Amino acid sequence: MPDFAASTGPHRAELVVHCYRLLGSVHEAEDLVQETMLRAWRAWERYDSTRASIRTWLYRIATNACLTALEGRARRPLPTGLGGPSEDPLQPLVPAFDVPWLQPLPDDPAAVTAARSGVRLAFVAAMQLLPPRQRAVLVLRDVLDFTAAEVAELLGTTTASVNSALQRARTGVAGVSADELTESGEAVIDDYVRAFEAADVDALVTLLTDEVVLEMPPVPLWYRGRDDYARFMARVFEMRGTRWQLQRTHANGQPAFAAYCWDGSDFRLHTLQVFSIADGRVAHTVVFQDPAVFEVFGLAPALTR
């Protein structure tokens, strides 16, 4: 019998990505992969390599563990999934801590191929609208390229049922592609960083698309358009000051940065901001202000001068 750790270890990173796609939470994904490995270890002596590869076998365990975890659980939205845009950028920013918000996923160099497909925030958020089994079928078929017969085997159902679920799932996420990669946008993000650190709202506006979207979980508000984006950013600089330091990173295969604002003695961690780029401009900004997200990304709580 091959060694368990050596056989299953290489698949751990991609399983975390897989569970994240279904759950929308990095912490829950990591917990479910731990559960997957425990179940696999307990069943290791019964594993039959003639029936399935180790990778397929692990995906079967992980997917079914996720489906069990999702039973009766509320979906994880972004603010754009809860209603229309706000028309008042000066509206009070009241967090909704009772909402289990969608989390971003740090890019993992060890799983870069898996992480670059089917983890854009827009796609993962759209999947939250689907019933759990439809999510699983969509990911297994359209992201991971399992055949309908393989998915039926993994989920303990029929090929006809898989095909039906896939059709409904594709309809449910219409307009949001699983395999579409966001533009890298390094140049525009460089310009955005310079404008942000200078607290230059006018310069920021020139980098935005006309219908740019700004949202900021856990605050359940979001805004559309350059004017409201500009008014909101002016409010941020008025409230938090004009001294900032930004650290570039990536999340969900998209450009991102951690924003630190000056508190009189240090630059304190304020937000993690993730960007979608279209036609060389910022089309969507998701601003996360959640200590759990900061922990996942390993962000320092403060920067010295």
Side-chain angles (χ1 to χ4, degrees):
M1 192 77 179
D3 179 73
F4 175 79
S7 299
T8 61
H11 304 288
R12 179 181 287 271
E14 65 174 297
L15 288 173
V16 171
V17 176
H18 175 59
C19 293
Y20 167 78
R21 293 186 186 104
L22 299 180
L23 300 167
S25 164
V26 179
H27 289 108
E28 291 182 3
E30 291 172 342
D31 288 345
L32 263 294
V33 171
Q34 285 289 101
E35 175 67 20
T36 295
M37 291 302 180
L38 179 59
R39 294 185 187 185
W41 179 76
R42 288 172 174 168
W44 186 235
E45 291 186 355
R46 301 192 301 276
Y47 166 66
D48 183 355
S49 60
T50 65
R51 297 188 58 186
S53 68
I54 289 176
R55 179 175 182 267
T56 298
W57 182 63
L58 290 173
Y59 268 99
R60 175 184 177 185
I61 298 172
T63 301
N64 284 287
C66 287
L67 291 176
T68 298
L70 286 167
E71 290 178 0
R73 184 173 301 185
R75 65 187 180 93
R76 287 184 170 270
L78 289 174
T80 45
L82 298 179
S86 171
E87 297 180 355
D88 180 9
L90 302 182
Q91 188 171 342
L93 304 179
V94 181
F97 293 114
D98 58 325
V99 177
W101 297 105
L102 179 68
Q103 294 181 342
L105 175 73
D107 281 358
D108 182 356
V112 66
T113 301
R116 292 282 176 174
S117 179
V119 293
R120 289 187 312 123
L121 279 173
F123 178 69
V124 179
M127 283 205 303
Q128 293 293 305
L129 300 174
L130 303 176
R133 287 184 73 85
Q134 287 185 28
R135 291 184 215 174
V137 169
L138 184 66
V139 169
L140 292 168
R141 290 285 286 117
D142 283 1
V143 177
L144 297 170
D145 293 324
F146 283 101
T147 67
E150 288 172 328
V151 175
E153 174 67 21
L154 263 63
L155 298 180
T157 187
T158 65
T159 300
S161 178
V162 166
N163 289 333
S164 177
L166 180 61
Q167 183 178 4
R168 293 195 300 273
R170 286 173 174 168
T171 300
V173 298
V176 183
S177 172
D179 56 7
E180 179 185 349
L181 298 182
T182 184
E183 292 180 31
S184 61
E186 296 302 323
V188 70
I189 295 301
D190 286 342
D191 291 340
Y192 193 100
V193 166
R194 284 190 288 269
F196 197 109
E197 289 185 333
D200 188 339
V201 174
D202 290 339
L204 285 175
V205 170
T206 67
L207 305 172
L208 309 176
T209 63
D210 291 341
E211 294 297 310
V212 64
V213 169
L214 171 67
E215 53 187 329
M216 62 213 94
V219 175
L221 302 176
W222 65 280
Y223 304 100
R224 173 178 282 136
R226 287 179 173 179
D227 290 345
D228 283 350
Y229 198 115
R231 291 174 63 196
F232 183 82
M233 291 307 304
R235 178 188 185 188
V236 169
F237 294 138
E238 181 180 347
M239 292 172 58
R240 298 297 182 182
T242 58
R243 293 187 63 185
W244 296 79
Q245 283 191 10
L246 309 182
Q247 286 192 337
R248 293 285 298 275
T249 185
H250 289 82
N252 296 74
Q254 301 170 223
F257 61 65
Y260 291 79
C261 62
W262 181 250
D263 71 351
S265 58
D266 292 302
F267 286 96
R268 293 288 172 183
L269 181 57
H270 183 254
T271 51
L272 175 76
Q273 305 188 23
V274 184
F275 299 87
S276 297
I277 311 299
D279 300 323
R281 295 180 183 273
V282 173
H284 198 142
T285 305
V286 186
V287 180
F288 294 93
Q289 195 171 25
D290 180 350
V293 170
F294 299 159
E295 179 186 356
V296 165
F297 279 76
L299 299 176
L303 302 176
T304 58
R305 280 189 280 180

